[in-house]
Amino acid sequence: MPRIAASGSRETGPAANDEQSVAGTGHDGSRPLRSVPFRWFFTGRTISLAGSSMSQVALAFGVLARTGSAGWVAAVTSTAMVATIATMLLGGGIADRYRRSTVLALTSLGAGIAQAGIAVLLITGRPPALLLPFALASGTFQGLTTPVLRGIIANLASGRGLQQASSLLASASNLTRIAGPAIAGLLTASVGGGWAVAADAASFLLAAACFARITMPGPPKRDGDGPSMLGDLREGWQYFASQPWFWSVTLAFAIFNATNRGVWQVLGPVIAFHTIGAPGWGLVLSTQGIGALFASVVLVKVPLPRRPLRPALTAMALAALPLVLLGGGAGLLWLAGVSLLAGAASEFFTVTWQTVNYTNISERLLSRVGAHDEFWSFVSYPLGQISAPLLAAAFGTAAVALSGGTAAAAAMLCVSLLPLFRRIEIRPGEP
């Protein structure tokens, strides 16, 4: 597929970079672990993910223990998500305009400070309303961080190293997802969720120190009459809107994410609170990580098919099965089993989507276009978080979980049938 810039001129993507070096550093981009900048990024990202994997469980159960209300869980998580969504597009412009490693170090530092504030409030038992400003700050830094992560890999790897870098990062992420939720569940049940959130805060600060060690050249200097930030953002939107293969997947994930966020993230802990408990829920989330880890490890060595999007989207329908079983009142073993399958399916799609993006979108547009992908697929998160407890109060948690899981699976299957995905490919010589 030719890579067409928003202006309509042909433009090469990241795969056109020198196969043997990345970002002008002289490091081998086809073998990312031999690159010092990539190793610093890999280390920092792994540390950050380890803390975040505990925070997800700890925050939900910490708020529930303090208030006993699913509404407060939704309020805190929705506040963070609204802030993330509101700043994501700006983050894409910043990430494509400035040195990505510097932006990443600064946003990680800010996120660590915000999470430390949340931890202190949970540990000291302060009123839950005081969590909202810190959740707002944490979400803001997350919104500025996400587009950087979408673009920085193209600065640290190239050619066949792109899929390997994505799979290595996914493997590290999944290792933390296995241990993190289980540890967080035990910590929450013993000493309280605030201490797990405190570990997340420390992980952000350590990650910021690692990201500050990454050496890479800055973006090309801009002329005084060059495009403004608004012009950069407009260019990103024009590219996004001109690529049906891209925005159709984003739309499908807007549906999937709304149901998954509302059912799994909000109603899931509520259902588990009265059934399998915090340790059981942590175990279920950890099995998702095991399935995802298996898939990501395989994908470090096994190349993706040349036209991978259709099978990847079809596999994503399996990721909705845990929602269906949660609504059906399945026990711990069944929930853990389908979560294992869902984790593998989700990771297969994630590595596929990232690799296709890296080899079909110009490096200079990656963060801005990725920000639109994240923005429009995340914009439904608050809707899912807020509506889930309201719908559950009206129709019951089981009915909401069953219908939500069905809608999520249908969204993935419908978009996978579009003929245009036959033309989207990973070219020979690329990952």
Side-chain angles (χ1 to χ4, degrees), residues 265-278:
Q265 300 289 337
V266 177
L267 297 184
V270 175
I271 295 172
F273 192 73
H274 300 289
T275 55
I276 60 177

Side-chain angles (χ1 to χ4, degrees), residues 30-42:
S30 64
R31 298 179 180 180
L33 284 178
R34 295 189 178 184
S35 164
V36 174
F38 179 82
R39 290 203 298 269
W40 276 116
F41 173 74
F42 181 79

Side-chain angles (χ1 to χ4, degrees), residues 197-294:
V197 178
D200 185 29
S203 75
F204 273 118
L205 299 177
L206 288 172
C210 292
F211 297 145
R213 299 296 301 273
I214 298 174
T215 56
M216 65 171 60
K221 292 184 178 180
R222 297 171 178 264
D223 298 331
D225 57 351
S228 64
M229 175 70 77
L230 185 59
D232 285 346
L233 296 176
R234 186 182 301 113
E235 185 182 19
W237 163 254
Q238 288 173 342
Y239 183 93
F240 173 81
S242 69
Q243 304 296 321
W245 69 271
F246 197 93
W247 59 253
S248 62
V249 174
T250 301
L251 178 61
F253 268 89
I255 298 171
F256 184 94
N257 288 340
T259 56
N260 185 72
R261 194 73 176 189
V263 174
W264 198 248
Q265 300 289 337
V266 177
L267 297 184
V270 175
I271 295 172
F273 192 73
H274 300 289
T275 55
I276 60 177
W281 185 243
L283 178 62
V284 168
L285 296 182
S286 293
T287 59
Q288 276 190 325
I290 293 172
L293 175 63
F294 173 77

Side-chain angles (χ1 to χ4, degrees), residues 2-7 9-13 235 362-365:
R3 299 173 180 86
I4 308 298
S7 62
S9 61
R10 267 179 209 275
E11 200 164 298
T12 56
E235 185 182 19
S362 171
E363 183 272 332
R364 70 179 186 84
L365 286 168

Side-chain angles (χ1 to χ4, degrees), residues 38-195:
F38 179 82
R39 290 203 298 269
W40 276 116
F41 173 74
F42 181 79
T43 301
R45 185 64 180 149
T46 301
I47 292 170
S48 177
L49 287 168
S52 297
S53 67
M54 292 191 292
S55 180
Q56 177 183 344
V57 175
L59 182 60
F61 281 94
V63 174
L64 277 173
R66 182 76 181 90
T67 66
S69 169
W72 272 114
V73 175
V76 173
T77 55
S78 295
T79 297
M81 185 52 60
V82 168
T84 297
I85 293 170
T87 54
M88 200 171 284
L89 296 180
L90 177 62
I94 292 172
D96 280 343
R97 198 174 183 90
Y98 301 103
R99 184 180 283 107
R100 288 172 176 145
S101 57
T102 302
V103 175
L104 192 56
L106 292 175
T107 57
S108 297
L109 177 62
I113 295 171
Q115 287 296 90
I118 292 175
V120 169
L121 292 174
L122 288 176
I123 292 170
T124 57
R126 300 299 180 182
L130 295 179
L131 294 170
L132 299 181
F134 289 98
L136 185 71
S138 180
T140 297
F141 287 114
Q142 182 63 37
L144 297 175
T145 298
T146 301
V148 183
L149 297 173
R150 290 291 290 263
I152 197 171
I153 298 302
N155 298 131
L156 301 174
S158 65
R160 295 183 182 277
L162 289 167
Q163 181 187 331
Q164 187 180 36
S166 296
S167 300
L168 286 167
L169 288 164
S171 298
S173 173
N174 294 323
L175 279 171
T176 65
R177 288 172 60 191
I178 293 169
I183 294 172
L186 294 174
L187 282 174
T188 301
S190 57
V191 297
W195 291 104

Side-chain angles (χ1 to χ4, degrees), residues 1-6 9-19 21-23 100 150-151 153-155 157-160 162 239 245 354-367 369 425 427 429-431:
M1 176 181 175
R3 299 173 180 86
I4 308 298
S9 61
R10 267 179 209 275
E11 200 164 298
T12 56
N17 295 339
D18 183 358
E19 182 83 17
S21 63
V22 179
R100 288 172 176 145
R150 290 291 290 263
I153 298 302
N155 298 131
S158 65
R160 295 183 182 277
L162 289 167
Y239 183 93
W245 69 271
Q354 291 176 347
T355 306
V356 169
N357 278 208
Y358 296 145
T359 59
N360 282 274
I361 301 173
S362 171
E363 183 272 332
R364 70 179 186 84
L365 286 168
L366 270 172
S367 290
V369 176
E425 63 182 38
R427 294 181 171 186
E430 298 178 52

